Amino acid sequence: MVLGFLSAFLLGWSLLVLVVFTAYEVREPEDPVATLGDVVEFLIGYLYGLVVVVWLALGFYNLP
């Protein structure tokens, strides 16, 4: 979740981070349900990060 949150701040590189993370999770020998759970955790963290990025961007435009 933390990796997803932090990758949201990379904007352009975040897609590459998502692909690398997903490839790593698929190659890791664990239950497919656990792999899906890890990817969902990453995406939730990424969405939280995007919300913070948008909030910060809108906040900076409203400075007096």
Side-chain angles (χ1 to χ4, degrees), residues 25-38:
E25 284 295 326
V26 168
R27 298 189 85 192
E28 189 178 8
E30 69 178 0
D31 187 32
V33 174
T35 299
L36 182 62
D38 290 342

Side-chain angles (χ1 to χ4, degrees), residues 1-2 4 7 11 17 22 26 29 47 51 53 58 61-62:
M1 196 165 189
V2 173
S7 69
L11 296 179
V17 173
T22 304
V26 168
L47 288 175
V51 167
V53 167
L58 292 177
Y61 290 122
N62 291 330

Side-chain angles (χ1 to χ4, degrees), residues 37-60:
D38 290 342
V39 172
V40 168
E41 269 184 16
F42 177 86
L43 291 175
I44 289 171
Y46 183 73
L47 288 175
Y48 282 149
L50 283 180
V51 167
V52 170
V53 167
V54 169
W55 180 74
L56 288 174
L58 292 177
F60 288 132

